[in-house]
Each structure stands twice: as structure tokens, then as C-alpha cells.
Amino acid sequence: MPYVTAADGAQIFYKDWGQGRPVVLSHGWPLNSDSWEAQQLFLARHGYRVVAHDRRGHGRSTQTWHGNEMNTYADDLATLIDTLDLRDVTLVGFSTGGGEVTRYVGRHGTGRVAQLVLVSAVPPFMLRTDDNPGGVPVEVFDAIRAGSLADRSQLYRDLADGPFFGNNRPGAHVSQGVRDAFWLQGMQSGHRNAYECVAAFSATDFRADLDAVDVPALVVHGDDDQVVPFEVGGRASAARIKNATLKVYPGAPHGITDTHKDQLGADLLEFLNS
């Protein structure tokens, strides 16, 4: 299996499908690159080289003790892009991955980047603070951390069966297979890595990183997202990024890479071809 080596020696697994202008996909918590397989296959079959990696501590990458925070995630992503010598890249980040690609722009610039896409993404800043009064209370994230320590297998079951895919909404029909895939990928992450990643996605302030985006950007978000509320994520990011296009999926949950994969694939392809 292919890996690149990060600055501290961590092995970062990646999948490299198709040929053409490169698209790099960054996944959500506590998942791995398999969560992108529908989009990776679709875009590769439409003439793009699509690279998806497992963040350190997730999937098949090294379960490091340290480095479970956004600066290191972004630097690992830079190592991947530099090692493969990718240029004119479209960066696509889902949820926590949206933070990772945004921090990449903040730390490494857009010299190799042509476009940016945020899908159900955590920027600009999830946590409620004095200067971010519309954010999510820390008690929400403390409950996730407590659930992880108490019984993280059941935590992932509860997330997949409930808010992540909107399966707790009347009339929802999310397959058992989709929910099982979430659990399986979650359990492939390291315990400490996934635990610390909760702080990385919730308490990292990406506002300055968004201000540095100087390439065309697409922001996609469901307006019934119960994990990253639309007003906190998609609407706020689109308002902050210069030259951003916002696509709102009415009634859609957080996990639109699965629940709305056909619509998302079409919107990604349209943006890539624009």
C-alpha cells in the first residue's frame, strides 16, 4: 500500500486513483479515506486524478501519540502534496477535513492550489467563545469526549444511527450498511487520536485561514446538519471567503457524502469544470 512519510516519521496512507488534474480529498472525524470512495470513484471516472489520504491516527496511517492537531494535520497534507508533486490542485475537505484543507491554505498558501471546496465543514470556528457567541457550547464536545472514554464503540453507533446521517429524523432511511461503515472506520482510528481530534475540529479558529483563501471556493452544506450547524459552518464560511459559491442542500444532514452522494458528485464536477 502507498504511504508518504511525515516530518516526524509518521506513515500517511493514501489512495491515488485516475489521471488528470488532481483533486485531493480530506475526510471527517473519526473516519478515513474510505468515506470518500463514492466521490473518488466518480471523479476519477470523469477524468481527474483523485488522491485521498488517511489522516494520522486514522485508518491505515500511523497512530502517533503526538500531533493530533490541525497544524500537524495540515503539514502532513503538505507532505503528501509535495511528495506527489501535485499542482493546480482542487482541495476538498469534509467536516474535520474542511478544517485541515483550510489550515493548509493558511500555513502553506495556494501556490499549488487552484480551487477549494468545503463540505459540511467545521470552519470558521465551531466552539462558542466570547468572540464567537454563535458557536456550539463546549458541553457538546465534552459529551463526545466522555462518550469516547466510556464506550467509544457505542458512541460511534449512536452517531451513525442518529445525527450524523439524520437517521433520527422522521422518514429517514439510511441503510444499515452506511451506518456500519461509519462504525467500522471509526473503530480503525486510534483511541487517543480520535479523542484529541475532537478538540482539533471544535476548538481551532480558522477565521484567519479563510481570510487567506484567494482561489475560487465552493461551500456545500445541508441546512439540517445536526453536527456542524449550517449557520456555524457553511453560511459563516461562505460569507468570509472572497469569491465563494454557497450551495445549500435543503433538509440535508451532516453526512452528505453518503446521503446525497449523487448530488454532491454532480456539484463537484460542475465546479471542477468551471
Side-chain angles (χ1 to χ4, degrees):
M1 293 192 290
Y3 290 86
V4 296
T5 303
D8 64 353
Q11 296 294 295
I12 305 298
F13 170 80
Y14 69 96
K15 296 188 280 190
D16 190 347
W17 295 359
Q19 295 180 326
R21 190 158 67 79
V23 180
V24 174
L25 306 173
S26 180
H27 62 81
W29 173 93
L31 305 173
N32 59 55
S33 60
D34 292 347
S35 63
W36 281 118
E37 63 181 17
Q39 291 75 33
Q40 189 168 15
L41 180 61
F42 176 80
L43 296 176
R45 294 177 68 181
H46 283 80
Y48 288 90
R49 179 184 179 183
V50 192
V51 177
H53 67 295
D54 292 354
R55 184 173 304 116
R56 67 169 56 214
H58 297 71
R60 290 137 291 201
S61 293
T62 304
Q63 294 186 9
T64 55
W65 188 251
H66 300 290
N68 304 301
E69 37 73 31
M70 282 293 166
N71 286 348
T72 300
Y73 296 160
D75 292 349
D76 290 348
L77 178 59
T79 296
L80 175 70
I81 291 172
D82 292 348
T83 301
L84 299 182
D85 194 23
L86 302 178
R87 301 176 187 275
D88 203 20
V89 175
T90 296
L91 286 175
V92 185
F94 168 74
S95 193
T96 298
E100 182 177 310
V101 298
T102 301
R103 180 52 53 92
Y104 171 90
V105 170
R107 284 175 69 82
H108 300 278
T110 54
R112 290 179 179 267
V113 179
Q115 297 171 307
L116 178 74
V117 183
L118 301 178
V119 181
S120 307
V122 298
F125 186 19
M126 283 196 73
L127 185 65
R128 180 180 296 174
T129 61
D130 289 343
D131 71 341
N132 190 40
V136 179
V138 70
E139 289 79 8
V140 172
F141 307 111
D142 286 342
I144 296 173
R145 282 184 278 258
S148 179
L149 293 177
D151 186 347
R152 76 179 185 118
S153 178
Q154 189 59 49
L155 170 68
Y156 298 158
R157 289 282 187 207
D158 293 343
L159 289 171
D161 291 344
F164 194 90
F165 298 112
N167 202 44
N168 55 345
R169 296 304 200 205
H173 298 289
V174 183
S175 77
Q176 188 66 53
V178 166
R179 288 178 278 151
D180 287 350
F182 179 98
W183 174 85
L184 178 62
Q185 290 177 42
M187 293 307 296
Q188 289 176 321
S189 65
H191 193 179
R192 175 181 167 92
N193 307 102
Y195 180 87
E196 294 201 335
C197 190
V198 176
F201 74 67
S202 65
T204 302
D205 184 347
F206 300 100
R207 288 175 288 192
D209 304 297
L210 291 177
D211 292 343
V213 176
D214 58 0
V215 296
L218 172 66
V219 178
V220 181
H221 217 108
D223 66 7
D224 193 31
D225 189 330
Q226 301 170 72
V227 177
V228 182
F230 170 63
E231 298 292 339
V232 174
R235 184 185 294 279
S237 286
R240 197 166 189 106
I241 301 173
K242 297 181 289 290
N243 199 22
T245 299
L246 174 63
K247 284 186 178 287
V248 182
Y249 289 8
H254 187 64
I256 58 177
T257 52
D258 285 295
T259 62
H260 292 66
K261 62 182 181 182
D262 293 338
Q263 183 178 355
L264 179 60
D267 285 335
L268 290 175
L269 190 60
E270 179 184 53
F271 182 65
L272 282 161
N273 292 336
S274 63

